[in-house]
Amino acid sequence: MPLTRRDVLRNLSLGASGAAISPAMLPFMEQLRAHADGDVSRIPKRVVFVVKSSGLTPTALVPGALAKEHVKKGDVKKSGDNYDLPEKLVPAEKLVNASLKGRALPKTLKALEPFKDQMAIVQGLSGKMCKGGHSSWYGALGCYRTGGEHDTGQVKWATIDGELALHMPAIFPHVGLTLGGKVMDSGVPIKNSVVYPGISAIGKDRPLPFQGSPMLAYKDLFGIVASGKGAKADVELKSTLLDFMVDDIKRLDKKIGGAEKEKLGHYLEAFESLRERGRRLKGVEAQVRKAAPVVNDKYTSQAETDRLEAHFDLAAASLISGLTNVVTLRVDTLSIIYKGLGITRGVHGIGHGETAGSMTPGEARDRIRRFHVEQIARLAGKLKRIPEGDGTMLDNTLIVYMSDAAEKHHASCIQWPFVLVGGLGDELKTRGQYLQYPHYGRKGHHTIANLYTSLLHAVGKKRDTFGQMDLNLDKEMQKGPLTELAG
Amino acid sequence: MRYFVWTFLIGVNSLFAVDEARGVNEKQVRAFLKAHCVKCHGEKKQKGKLALHQIGYGFTDPGEVRKWEDVLEQLTLGEMPPEEEKQPSAKTVKEIRAWISRRLHLAGKDPEIEHKMKQAAYGNLASHEKLFDGSVKAKSFSKARLWRTNPRIYDLFVDRFGRQLRGATAIAQPFTIDEQKGEVSDFAATLYADGATLQRLMMNCKAIAQYQTVGIAKQQKDRKNKGQFITRIYRNTPEAFKVILEGEETVTKEEIEAAVKVEFEIVLNREPSKEELDRYGELLRRTIAQGGRVKGLQTMLMAVLLRPEAFYRMEYGLGKVERDGRRMLSAYELAFAISYALTDAGPDKLMLGPVDRRKRRGGPSLLDLARSGKLSTREDVKRVVTQIMKAKDIDKPRILRFFHEFFGYSHAATIFKGNRIGREFNVKKIVRDADQMVMHIVEKDKDVLRELLTSDRFFVAFPGSKEAYQRTIDRMMKHEGKNKKHPTTKYLVHQRKKGWNPIPEANPTWRKYVKFYNFEEMNWNYPVEQPFAMPKGQRAGILTHPAWLIAWSGNFDNDVVRRGKWIREHLLAGMIPEVPITVNAAVPDDVDKTLRQRMEVTRDAYCWKCHKRMDPLGLAFEMFDDFGRYRKVEQTRDKKKHPAIARGAIINSKESGLDGDVKDAIELVHRLGGSTRVRQSFVRHAFRYWMGRNEKLSDSRTLIAADGAYVDGGGSFKALVISLLTSDSFLYRK
């Protein structure tokens, strides 16, 4: 049962369960006001994308009781370039809409048992408008074909996380956190820098940045907490500096034209948003201070798993404090080696069927997925403990666990599995369902664009389609939201 | 010597040419279409299924907008009207293009062609024939522009505040560059600083301002007292700042101006203008009043550090104005342009004076030359660039980087081969070998491209000189020689018995990497003189170097398509359309078929239209495996062996005598090495790299001159670079 608001205020350390973040944090002031005056429409909606590289395979998401019917043995002899999975999802002729109630979740998703009635496993969607292979780059969230083997390709338009960020603006419109750079980059010193992994964008030619270092992400998001309290002079100086810079750039801006003006515009916009952010942060400083995570050694750890935990803590805290409504967590790339989980082989090797120490590739994949799912469960748990409206923050926050390259290591994008946890108020609900849509091209088939259209509808941005159409599919089946998830 | 006065944008109206057509209206556009287009795209004929006689002018209907995009694309590329038809003037085409572009933008449509023209990967969109046939008479120029800094330049920029800064605090890299294999990455049009950049910059600037004032305190181990920690202050404070920080009286106008001047000089390499001096002075006075001397000064320093000019190279063209409106870069702009064309350091660090006894080059710096009026004319630029190009002691990292970006071989390390190979697969060494080969040919500066494409003289595990070789062998003897069971000792003994030179590599595993050149560690007399001729018929040039072959291979196989695409786009100045969105391109993985057999899926007529321009080129490299080893047999996944067939062909090269079958990659690269089109294509890529943008038809003169300089110099790469850096495209802005 959720805590009352008063409980939350009174006891800030309740149920911390070893996490670096205090879970009982105050939601954004706006939400409190909305809560107080009962105006549900003002409660913000939030979306968290957890995007994995190779390894989120369809069969791993089928509950045991349904496996007999929906999973078959693959052609295990094949190996190498197009390494096939030992198990395959049986293509569905009709929509499978089974309740998870009374069914044990598959091993990979065990940590989500407490949220079984507030989640959905979505299978059978295709994404063949995207490039297959190691990664669909911006296509995975943007529904279009772009990029090559190593290059991200052109950003044609905003990806779904960028689109949502534009529609649900917050102090930080989008927070991107990552373990790595581009999908196959190796040896990139990302731990202390911003990277553009090539999966998210806020508009044409506007890729979204991701922070590799939890410590620097903390400074970006919760810098206000680090600064001394009441240092009025500091605030004044910063404000003077930002005003001066805006003026300085505008002077330059008047003298230039064409595309170069646009470049300077980006920089000016950055200053203006920093200035605006400073103003808005002042108003919510107390809340942000309360919500800020406690920095620990995981923030600077060499172990990927530690840094990922820190990233999830940052994600939770930025949502709870109302700093952002959209987070994308790039939870691994092909170059990551999960030493913290005892896996000695990189995600790429596992994807090609290499054994990882004592683990088979299947076991290693499962171990990595379970770690991600545990983090998702931890995040969901924190959100569920915060009351909001008539329910909890989780009712208004959707966590989307997905792959950036559909169904397998060298994907063909014919089956794109998703795990959804939480919801988007009354507009999008997960009711403890296992949904498997009819296979590619069959009647009732849908694409990932339909799922993204569902998200847009839920946040009030009603439109027929999202992204590029798959020209080999009937147009109608690619239009509109997925009715099974409607509120 | 007085600094020259910087007239930074003062009293100058817009220096940036905005493509605004003046006097072109809808009526004229209608007349243009009628005169030049509807004959083939009208009521009677609809070539390419395009009809323009009834095109709407509302720019609302999506189909109509697409047609206008098509028209804009054809006019931009110079493809239409066809050569045999009456040609409109260049001015008219420009105005019509501007009109269409503006209408498309107003309709909320960002024309695709304008986007593509900015990307290096689409550089070949400009007609090769028109670029080199001499028909374009227009004078070349680049548009006035802001060119964002790159991570390498920024690293050296940070160093100018003092060596200990990085020791005191972490300086994160705010700038990223998306390196794409085989493409120029540092492109002026595509790089900008956004919010994420600013956040990093702010943090860095704060640290730098602190380091320049009160210093950064750091806890560290006390060397004198073990187990004890002491606090050390790291700082590098200019005198002008100390006066303000330590003074007790009211800060004077002179002190304020001195501080502003010092920071401008350190960060921007120039004096502030009068207006800037006033404005930054006023800022400093205000911030001292708000936050005291220390924080006040730090805030002013941050303001200088955060100026766009600190990380955007500003190329307005503030020099001499030509009658036709083109403006030459000023001496100051030229100093930066030349410096960053060849090095990563700023022009104040690029020394051009005599070399002293310690072999260190002294002043004047390139910036000094600019300030003393010795960098104002094309001749000045030529003299300086020639000096830099010829001076062996001046480090020019941008030269080798060009070849990295052009050939893409330095990306070999990013290719995942998993557990198919052991640790002897030392890609770094292979890339280093390729670097040595490239730089050796560049240094010789004779027939550079042909040599790069065809030379059979390779470097393998070469430590740089005979002396270095001997030192390495001595070290191996000394260390490993003590232990008779050590594999290196056994190896040295084995080689001595045979009377062979050993490979100068102490690590037994890494020594085995020579197998990627088909040498066996224990069965090879290491050539001390390098480069050396490879076994006959096995290798010729960089495209047969394991580094290139690995970089352009897949996880399990050779990458026939991308190898072919590379040759088509980098050597034959061609373009391959994007994969249609209905196509799911994948090579089937039948275990009993060779790659050549599996590639037959592309022979389907629909696929072959494009694949014939790639696959026959790529298939010639089937004489190597995907680790770059020469082979006579290919093993399929069912372990059966088949003869390795390396037959290939050049199809539709647009050069007479170049097309035709080749028996293998060796024949292919030799034929390419002698081609004019290949040479010109190479010149185009060099242009892109050094101008930081794609070539336009108006760059034709620059390209022809650069190609001529290369040929006249006997295939001199240096002459090519000097020609580019003294061209109108480099020197002029509009």
Side-chain angles (χ1 to χ4, degrees):
Chain A
M1 203 181 127
L3 301 167
T4 66
R5 197 152 47 95
R6 184 171 287 182
D7 290 337
V8 173
L9 287 165
R10 199 186 299 145
N11 193 343
L12 289 172
S13 61
L14 246 176
S17 67
I21 182 175
S22 168
M25 289 173 229
L26 279 180
F28 197 24
M29 196 180 254
E30 184 78 0
Q31 297 157 41
L32 283 180
R33 251 185 259 128
H35 182 74
D37 62 20
D39 182 359
V40 185
S41 69
R42 273 170 51 198
I43 294 178
K45 297 190 174 67
R46 312 166 197 91
V47 184
V48 181
F49 293 91
V50 180
V51 185
K52 180 177 174 23
S53 262
S54 167
L56 184 59
T57 49
T59 53
L61 304 182
V62 183
L66 299 169
K68 206 172 161 189
E69 198 182 335
H70 298 289
V71 175
K72 67 170 181 185
K73 285 269 177 267
D75 184 0
V76 287
K77 275 182 211 157
K78 280 191 182 174
S79 66
D81 209 358
N82 293 339
Y83 171 69
D84 265 339
L85 302 165
E87 289 179 327
K88 281 184 172 175
L89 194 67
V90 179
E93 293 299 327
K94 285 182 185 167
L95 173 72
V96 182
N97 188 350
S99 171
L100 295 174
K101 203 174 174 185
R103 291 193 166 100
L105 288 176
K107 195 173 152 197
T108 287
L109 301 179
K110 272 280 176 282
L112 288 173
E113 279 290 346
F115 308 97
K116 212 155 88 176
D117 59 346
Q118 217 177 348
M119 65 178 284
I121 299 163
V122 181
Q123 305 252 42
L125 300 177
S126 68
K128 288 183 82 70
M129 73 293 280
C130 304
K131 184 191 95 61
H134 285 126
S135 173
S136 297
W137 301 108
Y138 297 105
L141 290 165
C143 298
Y144 53 87
R145 183 173 288 194
T146 191
E149 181 75 348
H150 291 268
D151 61 292
T152 59
Q154 193 204 334
V155 183
K156 292 190 179 171
W157 49 74
T159 52
I160 183 66
D161 47 350
E163 197 67 49
L164 291 166
L166 287 170
H167 193 70
M168 311 190 290
I171 296 177
F172 290 87
H174 176 263
V175 171
L177 302 164
T178 182
L179 269 196
K182 288 196 284 180
V183 69
M184 282 197 281
D185 276 0
S186 55
V188 182
I190 57 102
K191 277 180 226 156
N192 62 359
S193 66
V194 166
V195 290
Y196 295 81
I199 59 165
S200 300
I202 197 134
K204 184 172 177 169
D205 293 337
R206 297 287 306 270
L208 278 166
F210 280 61
Q211 180 52 262
S213 152
M215 189 53 118
L216 289 182
Y218 175 84
K219 285 185 185 170
D220 288 349
L221 294 163
F222 299 96
I224 195 167
V225 178
S227 64
K229 257 190 191 176
K232 202 177 152 210
D234 284 0
V235 177
E236 263 181 25
L237 281 170
K238 191 167 183 189
S239 160
T240 303
L241 175 67
L242 294 182
D243 288 346
F244 184 84
M245 293 316 300
V246 167
D247 176 59
D248 204 42
I249 299 163
K250 279 184 179 166
R251 276 164 191 269
L252 192 57
D253 190 55
K254 279 185 196 151
K255 304 285 182 188
I256 64 169
E260 309 309 290
K261 206 177 181 76
E262 201 178 315
K263 276 183 203 167
L264 219 49
H266 292 315
Y267 195 49
L268 183 64
E269 189 186 304
F271 270 105
E272 284 178 333
S273 63
L274 207 61
R275 201 162 60 164
E276 178 60 20
R277 186 179 297 162
R279 283 192 201 118
R280 290 179 67 180
L281 275 170
K282 261 189 232 166
V284 294
E285 190 180 338
Q287 281 78 3
V288 175
R289 275 183 191 283
K290 281 172 191 158
V294 178
V295 173
N296 57 22
D297 55 6
K298 288 188 174 166
Y299 280 64
T300 50
S301 170
Q302 292 296 313
E304 282 76 12
T305 39
D306 286 347
R307 292 205 305 282
L308 208 49
E309 277 187 39
H311 276 333
F312 270 91
D313 289 342
L314 285 163
S318 19
L319 292 168
I320 292 167
S321 60
L323 286 177
T324 190
N325 293 321
V326 184
V327 179
T328 309
L329 285 146
R330 177 74 165 130
V331 287
D332 61 19
T333 66
L334 292 181
S335 311
I336 299 294
I337 302 171
Y338 283 94
K339 291 184 232 75
L341 302 176
I343 299 170
T344 50
R345 188 71 67 182
V347 174
H348 202 158
I350 298 165
H352 279 292
E354 294 178 6
T355 51
S358 58
M359 293 188 211
T360 65
E363 286 165 349
R365 278 180 158 178
D366 190 55
R367 183 69 197 91
I368 296 167
R369 284 191 302 250
R370 274 191 285 131
F371 177 71
H372 293 161
V373 173
E374 282 158 18
Q375 297 308 313
I376 290 169
R378 214 159 58 80
L379 171 61
K382 285 176 187 172
L383 299 175
K384 200 165 182 167
R385 281 194 287 274
I386 312 279
E388 188 171 66
D390 297 334
T392 75
M393 264 186 91
L394 187 60
D395 300 332
N396 302 304
T397 311
L398 186 72
I399 308 171
V400 181
Y401 184 38
M402 60 180 286
S403 158
D404 74 327
E407 79 285 5
K408 60 179 180 176
H409 185 69
H410 289 185
S412 71
C413 303
I414 204 153
Q415 292 175 339
W416 211 313
F418 287 84
V419 179
L420 310 178
V421 183
L424 294 173
D426 290 335
E427 283 73 30
L428 188 149
K429 286 198 186 303
T430 54
R431 307 176 177 85
Q433 302 142 285
Y434 175 85
L435 291 168
Q436 188 180 335
Y437 287 92
H439 194 63
Y440 187 75
R442 316 237 163 116
K443 199 181 165 199
H445 175 70
H446 289 298
T447 73
I448 58 172
N450 294 102
L451 173 61
Y452 299 156
T453 307
S454 300
L455 303 189
L456 290 172
H457 274 244
V459 302
K461 203 169 183 186
K462 301 215 160 129
R463 50 197 264 185
D464 260 6
T465 56
F466 180 75
Q468 203 164 45
M469 290 251 175
D470 177 344
L471 300 180
N472 291 324
L473 280 180
D474 173 38
K475 274 188 188 170
E476 290 308 309
M477 62 171 61
Q478 302 179 65
K479 287 182 181 169
L482 299 171
T483 48
E484 293 72 19
L485 296 171
Chain B
M1 182 172 44
R2 274 305 297 161
Y3 291 171
F4 64 117
V5 180
W6 169 254
T7 53
F8 187 76
L9 289 177
I10 297 161
V12 184
N13 288 322
S14 179
L15 288 165
F16 282 71
V18 185
D19 270 340
E20 281 188 16
R22 290 183 182 84
V24 178
N25 54 34
E26 189 181 307
K27 201 174 150 194
Q28 284 162 294
V29 177
R30 282 180 195 273
F32 179 89
L33 293 190
K34 198 174 169 190
H36 298 286
C37 313
V38 294
K39 191 175 137 196
C40 302
H41 305 284
E43 202 174 352
K44 290 178 189 163
K45 266 198 264 177
Q46 294 92 38
K47 278 197 173 176
K49 293 183 186 167
L50 179 70
L52 298 171
H53 63 295
Q54 282 181 332
I55 189 167
Y57 286 73
F59 287 80
T60 44
D61 173 59
E64 182 183 276
V65 166
R66 211 171 302 129
K67 276 188 190 175
W68 280 114
E69 274 210 84
D70 275 352
V71 175
L72 182 63
E73 179 160 337
Q74 294 303 313
L75 289 176
T76 307
L77 298 177
E79 295 288 334
M80 290 286 159
E83 280 170 8
E84 61 277 13
E85 298 292 333
K86 192 183 154 209
Q87 296 295 312
S89 75
K91 184 170 171 272
T92 307
V93 173
K94 193 179 169 193
E95 287 175 351
I96 300 287
R97 272 172 52 195
W99 185 90
I100 301 172
S101 169
R102 203 168 55 241
R103 291 299 304 267
L104 283 166
H105 279 286
L106 284 173
K109 182 77 195 171
D110 202 358
E112 193 67 21
I113 183 68
E114 289 178 5
H115 173 84
K116 283 181 180 171
M117 295 301 277
K118 290 181 197 165
Q119 314 283 323
Y122 294 94
N124 286 356
L125 281 174
S127 158
H128 188 80
E129 287 66 31
K130 284 196 179 160
L131 283 173
F132 285 95
D133 68 8
S135 61
V136 181
K137 303 291 180 204
K139 289 185 175 171
S140 308
F141 65 91
S142 292
K143 279 189 181 175
R145 61 186 179 182
L146 311 181
W147 191 344
R148 204 208 67 194
T149 195
N150 67 45
R152 293 179 177 101
I153 293 177
Y154 186 77
D155 276 344
L156 291 176
F157 168 79
V158 169
D159 287 348
R160 67 173 56 225
F161 296 95
R163 285 184 188 165
Q164 292 181 326
L165 172 63
R166 285 180 193 276
T169 183
I171 297 288
Q173 178 57 256
F175 303 102
T176 55
I177 278 204
D178 190 9
E179 286 187 13
Q180 299 194 4
K181 187 167 55 178
E183 299 299 348
V184 178
S185 55
D186 195 350
F187 244 36
T190 54
L191 302 173
Y192 60 85
D194 61 6
T197 314
L198 177 61
Q199 280 194 320
R200 287 287 80 69
L201 267 179
M202 283 282 257
M203 280 185 198
N204 292 353
C205 293
K206 210 170 173 179
I208 293 170
Q210 198 183 339
Y211 183 72
Q212 286 191 294
T213 52
V214 290
I216 299 169
K218 198 182 171 192
Q219 285 259 321
Q220 60 186 58
K221 280 180 189 165
D222 187 355
R223 283 186 192 161
K224 290 174 189 161
N225 302 306
K226 274 196 174 175
Q228 297 295 307
F229 283 84
I230 50 165
T231 303
R232 197 182 145 192
I233 307 285
Y234 289 87
R235 66 186 282 196
N236 186 6
T237 316
E239 280 307 316
F241 299 172
K242 282 185 190 162
V243 172
I244 291 178
L245 295 169
E246 292 159 12
E248 285 170 7
E249 306 290 324
T250 313
V251 186
T252 66
K253 185 171 182 257
E254 288 70 30
E255 287 166 354
I256 282 185
E257 290 191 349
V260 173
K261 281 182 181 172
V262 165
E263 193 64 356
F264 261 67
E265 186 54 42
I266 299 175
V267 178
L268 309 174
N269 282 125
R270 67 173 178 90
E271 274 197 347
S273 68
K274 172 79 178 57
E275 180 268 341
E276 286 166 335
L277 200 56
D278 290 346
R279 225 153 33 84
Y280 278 79
E282 175 51 34
L283 172 71
L284 180 51
R285 258 186 293 277
R286 185 151 31 111
T287 51
I288 288 179
Q290 280 177 335
R293 287 164 187 257
V294 173
K295 288 194 170 166
L297 180 57
Q298 287 177 352
T299 306
M300 186 280 285
L301 301 180
M302 284 179 71
V304 180
L305 285 159
L306 287 167
R307 295 203 81 188
E309 193 190 341
F311 53 89
Y312 271 111
R313 210 183 313 163
M314 306 221 158
E315 297 187 343
Y316 295 93
L318 292 169
K320 194 181 161 210
V321 183
E322 298 289 322
R323 276 192 197 159
D324 54 24
R326 295 177 311 148
R327 304 177 306 267
M328 193 165 162
L329 292 178
S330 68
Y332 178 81
E333 290 171 312
L334 277 170
F336 281 91
I338 296 168
S339 183
Y340 291 138
L342 298 169
T343 78
D344 295 324
D348 58 328
K349 307 284 180 203
L350 182 51
M351 294 301 163
L352 297 171
V355 178
D356 67 14
R357 270 181 296 173
R358 286 181 299 166
K359 292 189 178 171
R360 282 171 60 174
R361 197 175 274 272
S365 68
L366 183 58
L367 191 63
D368 293 334
L369 289 184
R371 284 170 169 167
S372 58
K374 291 177 185 155
L375 196 62
S376 307
T377 62
R378 193 190 304 267
E379 289 65 40
D380 291 340
V381 175
K382 186 164 187 176
R383 192 179 58 246
V384 166
V385 172
T386 308
Q387 185 193 352
I388 301 171
M389 286 302 288
K390 289 197 170 159
K392 283 191 178 171
D393 62 301
I394 297 177
D395 193 22
K396 296 175 280 291
R398 292 258 307 155
I399 302 274
L400 179 60
R401 215 175 290 145
F402 163 69
F403 291 99
H404 279 181
E405 298 201 348
F406 177 68
F407 286 114
Y409 69 77
S410 56
H411 285 253
T414 62
I415 305 300
F416 176 83
K417 299 286 182 190
N419 59 2
R420 296 175 56 226
I421 195 83
R423 286 179 192 277
E424 75 276 17
F425 184 55
N426 191 325
V427 184
K428 273 189 190 160
K429 280 181 175 293
I430 297 172
V431 170
R432 185 169 172 263
D433 294 341
D435 284 349
Q436 282 175 312
M437 180 172 175
V438 168
M439 287 317 288
H440 176 76
I441 292 170
V442 169
E443 282 306 322
K444 274 176 47 190
D445 205 28
K446 198 160 167 31
D447 261 336
V448 171
L449 179 64
R450 190 197 295 257
E451 283 291 303
L452 285 169
L453 290 178
T454 61
S455 173
D456 67 345
R457 294 169 64 78
F458 277 43
F459 287 86
V460 179
F462 188 56
S465 67
K466 270 192 194 176
E467 295 71 34
Y469 174 78
Q470 200 48 53
R471 281 197 300 275
T472 312
I473 299 298
D474 291 348
R475 229 174 11 245
M476 284 163 71
M477 305 270 275
K478 196 171 159 192
H479 294 292
E480 279 78 12
K482 288 177 195 160
N483 177 356
K484 285 187 180 165
K485 287 182 184 166
H486 194 281
T488 295
T489 315
K490 287 185 187 168
Y491 171 69
L492 290 170
V493 171
H494 169 269
Q495 293 294 91
R496 197 181 307 132
K497 271 189 193 163
K498 292 265 192 184
W500 288 345
N501 299 310
I503 303 165
E505 170 55 64
N507 183 315
T509 309
W510 291 350
R511 215 158 42 226
K512 291 192 180 71
Y513 97 102
V514 299
K515 78 182 194 189
F516 299 103
Y517 298 87
N518 298 78
F519 297 121
E520 285 173 54
E521 176 204 14
M522 303 298 275
N523 198 18
W524 187 40
N525 183 8
Y526 174 87
V528 182
E529 296 276 353
Q530 298 216 12
F532 64 99
M534 298 295 276
K536 207 169 164 28
Q538 290 191 5
R539 312 263 173 186
I542 287 290
L543 306 197
T544 66
H545 197 286
W548 191 87
L549 292 164
I550 294 163
W552 298 97
S553 71
N555 305 145
F556 291 83
D557 283 310
N558 286 330
D559 195 335
V560 173
V561 176
R562 287 192 183 86
R563 285 176 184 175
K565 187 171 187 278
W566 186 90
I567 294 174
R568 180 65 60 182
E569 294 184 343
H570 289 72
L571 300 180
L572 295 172
M575 275 295 286
I576 305 289
E578 283 160 41
V579 186
I581 58 168
T582 48
V583 169
N584 188 21
V587 182
D589 53 3
D590 312 57
V591 293
D592 56 344
K593 287 185 177 165
T594 63
L595 182 60
R596 178 179 286 272
Q597 289 165 337
R598 288 188 279 138
M599 287 300 298
E600 277 173 17
V601 285
T602 65
R603 300 279 165 153
D604 172 89
Y606 178 69
C607 308
W608 193 240
K609 270 193 303 183
C610 295
H611 276 276
K612 72 176 178 194
R613 299 160 77 185
M614 303 181 279
D615 300 11
L617 295 165
L619 283 166
F621 296 89
E622 286 306 284
M623 60 191 288
F624 304 99
D625 67 14
D626 68 303
F627 293 102
R629 287 174 293 205
Y630 172 77
R631 66 181 177 188
K632 282 186 174 161
V633 291
E634 176 181 354
Q635 186 172 297
T636 43
R637 295 204 181 122
D638 58 2
K639 308 279 182 212
K640 293 208 173 110
K641 290 183 175 162
H642 311 264
I645 300 167
R647 233 177 19 244
I650 304 175
I651 299 171
N652 198 13
S653 68
K654 297 191 179 171
E655 177 172 301
S656 67
L658 194 57
D659 284 10
D661 293 345
V662 291
K663 76 173 172 26
D664 59 14
I666 309 289
E667 191 185 343
L668 173 71
V669 295
H670 273 96
R671 199 181 299 167
L672 292 170
S675 150
T676 301
R677 190 178 178 91
V678 170
R679 188 188 70 228
Q680 290 169 342
S681 180
F682 176 71
V683 171
R684 291 179 70 171
H685 283 267
F687 175 97
R688 269 169 230 172
Y689 181 81
W690 270 287
M691 302 298 155
R693 65 173 175 84
N694 285 333
E695 60 276 24
K696 298 177 294 186
L697 288 185
S698 62
D699 294 306
S700 168
R701 283 181 166 198
T702 298
L703 290 163
I704 292 172
D707 184 44
Y710 175 83
V711 174
D712 293 345
S716 164
F717 184 70
K718 287 189 181 117
L720 166 63
V721 175
I722 293 167
S723 174
L724 287 174
L725 298 187
T726 51
S727 68
D728 282 6
S729 304
F730 187 78
L731 299 177
Y732 284 95
R733 297 294 173 273
K734 198 171 166 182

